[in-house]
Amino acid sequence: MLGIELATAAFLPAALIALLAGILSFLSPCVLPIVPPYLAYMTGVGVNGLQARERSAVLPALFFVLGLSTVFLVMGFAASALGRTFLQYQGILSQIAGGFVIVMGLHFLRVIRIPFLDHEARIDAGAQDGGAFGAYLLGLAFAFGWTPCIGPQLGMILSLAATGGEMTRGTALLAVYAFGLGIPFLLAAIFINRAIGLMNRVKPWLHIIERVMGVLLVIVGVMLITGAFSAFSYWLLETFPGLASLG
């Protein structure tokens, strides 16, 4: 019973981190600038036509999010299955995962540079008919093609999923991450003119957002190595006993 309660308490901070990581992934320098072109590509009109409301981008954006969510959910299930298989090595796995996440954070903070993570796989924005199925396939391609770009954030969430040792919660973490990354796409499609204006104002701050992501990665990595997640989970249960009823 205590194990279930502890797992529930441990999921809450991990889910919050996953949500924040998804939002920061959307705001990253290699994702935010391509949002308007992607929306225009999926609807089959130019950015100007998109702003003029020649065609709605909402339905294609929805299927795009479903496509990238499909890949992330499969990744979450696979990572959780791996963690469950090596459950007896969870302590070592957590330390390895923590070290990996810290290295990714140092990359974002520009303390070290990993050339592979500076690579961006882009798609030629040719003609597109705006179909839902095409947008779904584009979402799948985005999830795979931009893995080097959003890899540090995604790797952090996969590490949390793998060290959790439970498939349901591990998959749920990736669902939360997909939510944090995907919902801004939908909001941008719904409020396209406001979104483009907001993106233009945010662009000068992208380097700061990148640093914030780096700090978050380092903190999570340290927590994984030191076992602070477990300690924090115990604290949550002691401070908020009602959390036990959520398991």
Side-chain angles (χ1 to χ4, degrees):
M1 182 66 178
L2 178 60
I4 295 177
E5 295 173 356
L6 183 60
T8 300
F11 176 77
L12 297 178
L16 180 60
I17 290 172
L19 179 63
L20 180 59
I23 295 172
L24 290 176
S25 293
F26 176 82
L27 295 174
S28 65
C30 56
V31 173
L32 186 67
I34 56 88
V35 171
Y38 258 58
L39 290 174
Y41 175 76
M42 288 186 291
T43 54
V45 298
V47 175
N48 291 335
L50 200 61
Q51 290 182 279
R53 301 289 182 176
E54 293 179 9
R55 186 178 295 178
S56 174
V58 177
L59 184 61
L62 174 61
F63 278 85
F64 175 85
V65 171
L66 289 176
L68 65 88
S69 297
T70 299
V71 175
F72 292 151
L73 289 175
V74 172
M75 287 182 175
F77 181 83
S80 301
L82 179 64
R84 189 171 184 178
T85 300
F86 296 99
L87 192 59
Q88 65 270 34
Y89 305 111
Q90 281 297 305
I92 297 176
L93 185 60
S94 294
Q95 293 185 356
I96 294 175
F100 167 78
V101 172
I102 289 175
V103 170
M104 297 298 101
L106 294 177
H107 169 80
F108 266 139
L109 292 172
R110 299 188 180 275
V111 175
I112 61 175
R113 297 305 296 172
I114 304 174
F116 171 72
L117 296 178
D118 290 323
H119 172 72
E120 299 176 18
R122 293 183 181 265
I123 297 175
D124 180 24
Q128 171 66 283
D129 61 5
F133 183 67
Y136 179 80
L137 293 179
L138 189 62
L140 296 176
F142 179 94
F144 285 113
W146 254 258
T147 296
C149 177
I150 63 175
Q153 305 96 307
L154 183 58
M156 173 181 64
I157 307 306
L158 289 173
S159 297
L160 291 175
T163 55
E166 187 170 336
M167 294 185 185
T168 302
R169 286 183 172 83
T171 306
L173 277 181
L174 269 294
V176 173
Y177 174 77
F179 181 85
L181 177 59
I183 290 303
F185 269 101
L186 289 176
L187 292 177
I190 296 172
F191 307 104
I192 185 61
N193 289 316
R194 292 184 180 180
I196 290 177
L198 180 60
M199 290 173 194
N200 290 332
R201 289 194 293 272
V202 169
K203 284 181 181 179
W205 301 92
L206 290 181
H207 65 287
I208 295 179
I209 294 172
E210 190 176 36
R211 301 301 190 280
V212 170
M213 191 69 243
V215 171
L216 177 63
L217 286 167
V218 171
I219 291 174
V220 172
V222 171
M223 292 181 71
L224 285 170
I225 291 176
T226 61
F229 261 116
S230 296
F232 186 60
S233 301
Y234 278 116
W235 178 84
L236 282 177
L237 282 175
E238 293 175 355
T239 307
F240 306 101
L243 291 176
S245 63
L246 299 177

